[in-house]
Amino acid sequence: MMKGSNILNLRFNQDQGCFMASMENGLRVYNLEPLVEKTHYDTETVGSVASCEMLFRTNILAIVSGGSHPKFPENILYIYDDSQKKTVIEIKFASAVKAVRLRRDKLIVVLLNRIHVFSFLHPTRELFSVETRKNPKGLCEVSPLQSSHKQVLVFPGHKLGSVQIVELSTTLQSYSSAPIYIQAHKNELACIAINQQGTRVATASEQGTLIRVWDTTTRNQLVELRRGADPATIHCMNFSADSDFLCCSSDKGTVHIFAIKDTNLNRRMSGLPPAIRGTLGKYGDSQWALANFTVSAECPCICAFGPNNSIYAVCFDGTFHKYAFSTEGICHREAYDVFLEVDDDDDSF
């Protein structure tokens, strides 16, 4: 949370067409195109909210209490149905809930040292749980698409800087298969992202200078991307729907856009003589963002792709930004608003 802000957490839904603002004074859900408030709950209803996960564009919300005046214990997960205006599922855990992820058929709950996987929504029963490395940020992502796509769950592995991959479609009630790991970084992980199809995972460490993209089947590194030279805290990463691009945002207030499919679009130190580039080692061969823009200095935000090569940036200072980018690396702002002040909309999700 930013100093002076009531926002504790921001999160996009699975199709990145809505976002949730978990706040000291309740919860708000917004549509992105157009930017309108879809629903909100005040402190009398939900208290202060640490995080919220929305199931696509349904009325189902997973709510975790937190902040300075929570109404419920932080170790209880509430599944709320906005259409019925009531809690439909309540699950108590041994420790505080750090994060929640939803698929149409799975509910994933992240604790400090364990992840629980449930069937969802009817019936809701625990399928298995797995012990994890200490995970105070609740890092965990799951591929959202159904049908023939891979059902992949990713989270920090036991080894420092590693990612563990679980194929949910082949894991039933017991977790007995040998763990699958990717040794992604030398430092603690700070951010993880998975594409819609479950075939790609992006990782960033607490150093925040490099982002690596991996194939979830072969576990091979596909590309290494450089966010910058100075350390930064990466708050959010997201793939485009077709996985051609990746965006990331950091505490520098800057959003970076990288090409994943056609990496020739990414910038390189092409202006330097080869002899000088050679002395820089891997740094000299780094792939830098093809485009970037700054929303507010030192303001963290979350970012995601919209239609027609557009990028949304939703910031903890309550501002909304929409930029368009070209493959030539040009960015221009298409929209700006203060989302906490936009009008509400009575239509359903």
Side-chain angles (χ1 to χ4, degrees), residues 325-346:
F325 71 95
S326 70
T327 53
E328 290 76 33
I330 299 171
C331 280
H332 68 272
R333 190 166 76 180
E334 290 193 332
Y336 169 83
D337 217 323
V338 179
F339 62 83
L340 297 177
E341 299 175 359
V342 301
D343 294 332
D344 62 353
D345 177 46
D346 292 332

Side-chain angles (χ1 to χ4, degrees), residues 239-251:
F239 288 91
S240 59
D242 56 12
S243 301
D244 287 356
F245 298 97
L246 178 80
C247 62
C248 85
S249 58
S250 72
D251 60 350

Side-chain angles (χ1 to χ4, degrees), residues 17-19 29-38 57 307 312 320 322 335 337 339 342-345 347:
C18 300
F19 70 92
V29 179
Y30 294 87
N31 185 72
L32 282 161
E33 293 285 354
L35 180 66
V36 290
E37 181 186 283
K38 301 303 294 186
R57 286 180 172 270
Y312 305 118
F320 165 83
K322 181 183 178 183
D337 217 323
F339 62 83
V342 301
D343 294 332
D344 62 353
D345 177 46
D347 295 337

Side-chain angles (χ1 to χ4, degrees), residues 110-186:
V110 186
L111 310 182
L112 182 63
N113 289 101
R114 184 167 289 275
I115 290 177
H116 296 267
V117 178
F118 296 82
S119 62
F120 191 71
L121 179 65
H122 303 292
T124 298
R125 60 185 178 86
E126 184 163 3
L127 301 176
F128 67 92
S129 70
V130 54
E131 186 180 349
T132 68
R133 182 181 182 82
K134 191 175 181 180
N135 187 12
K137 294 181 179 178
L139 298 181
C140 177
E141 295 299 337
V142 64
S143 57
L145 296 182
Q146 303 293 103
S147 68
S148 61
H149 294 287
K150 290 167 68 69
Q151 297 183 31
V152 177
L153 177 69
V154 292
F155 50 89
H158 284 286
K159 296 180 181 178
L160 177 67
S162 70
V163 178
Q164 187 166 341
I165 301 173
V166 175
E167 174 59 65
L168 293 176
S169 59
T170 59
T171 304
L172 300 176
Q173 295 186 27
S174 63
Y175 183 79
S176 57
S177 57
I180 299 173
Y181 294 100
I182 293 173
Q183 190 57 49
H185 299 270
K186 295 180 180 179

Side-chain angles (χ1 to χ4, degrees), residues 39-295:
T39 190
H40 70 269
Y41 304 96
D42 57 22
T43 49
E44 291 184 4
T45 305
V46 295
S48 52
V49 177
S51 65
C52 175
E53 184 83 348
M54 177 179 172
L55 181 61
F56 288 90
R57 286 180 172 270
T58 70
N59 294 296
I60 300 300
L61 302 168
I63 300 174
V64 180
S65 289
S68 60
H69 43 277
K71 185 171 182 178
F72 310 107
E74 60 183 6
N75 67 323
I76 297 181
L77 170 65
Y78 292 89
I79 305 298
Y80 193 86
D81 187 336
D82 184 70
S83 63
Q84 300 183 52
K85 302 298 180 185
K86 69 175 186 178
T87 298
V88 291
I89 299 173
E90 180 181 319
I91 309 175
K92 185 177 181 179
F93 296 91
S95 61
V97 175
K98 298 297 182 181
V100 181
R101 299 292 179 258
L102 293 176
R103 287 172 49 88
R104 294 189 188 277
D105 60 349
K106 299 286 192 308
L107 163 66
I108 296 99
V109 181
V110 186
L111 310 182
L112 182 63
N113 289 101
R114 184 167 289 275
I115 290 177
H116 296 267
V117 178
F118 296 82
S119 62
F120 191 71
L121 179 65
H122 303 292
T124 298
R125 60 185 178 86
E126 184 163 3
L127 301 176
F128 67 92
S129 70
V130 54
E131 186 180 349
T132 68
R133 182 181 182 82
K134 191 175 181 180
N135 187 12
K137 294 181 179 178
L139 298 181
C140 177
E141 295 299 337
V142 64
S143 57
L145 296 182
Q146 303 293 103
S147 68
S148 61
H149 294 287
K150 290 167 68 69
Q151 297 183 31
V152 177
L153 177 69
V154 292
F155 50 89
H158 284 286
K159 296 180 181 178
L160 177 67
S162 70
V163 178
Q164 187 166 341
I165 301 173
V166 175
E167 174 59 65
L168 293 176
S169 59
T170 59
T171 304
L172 300 176
Q173 295 186 27
S174 63
Y175 183 79
S176 57
S177 57
I180 299 173
Y181 294 100
I182 293 173
Q183 190 57 49
H185 299 270
K186 295 180 180 179
N187 300 308
E188 290 283 3
L189 296 177
C191 195
I192 303 173
I194 195 165
N195 66 345
Q196 296 273 313
Q197 298 78 17
T199 58
R200 304 283 184 265
V201 59
T203 62
S205 76
E206 289 183 340
Q207 188 74 6
T209 53
L210 295 175
I211 297 168
R212 295 181 174 126
V213 179
W214 310 84
D215 185 303
T216 59
T217 300
T218 66
R219 288 171 278 166
N220 292 330
Q221 181 178 302
L222 300 176
V223 64
E224 181 179 89
L225 309 165
R226 181 169 288 278
R227 181 212 55 82
D230 298 326
T233 300
I234 293 181
H235 286 281
C236 179
M237 297 188 296
N238 268 310
F239 288 91
S240 59
D242 56 12
S243 301
D244 287 356
F245 298 97
L246 178 80
C247 62
C248 85
S249 58
S250 72
D251 60 350
K252 305 289 187 182
T254 304
V255 175
H256 298 262
I257 304 139
F258 299 92
I260 303 299
K261 183 179 181 180
D262 184 1
T263 56
N264 291 322
L265 297 173
N266 295 324
R267 293 187 298 112
R268 291 170 171 82
M269 292 183 170
S270 56
L272 293 176
I276 296 178
R277 260 175 52 208
T279 64
L280 297 174
K282 288 183 67 178
Y283 184 86
D285 294 327
S286 293
Q287 296 189 35
W288 299 72
L290 75 90
N292 63 73
F293 59 89
T294 301
V295 287

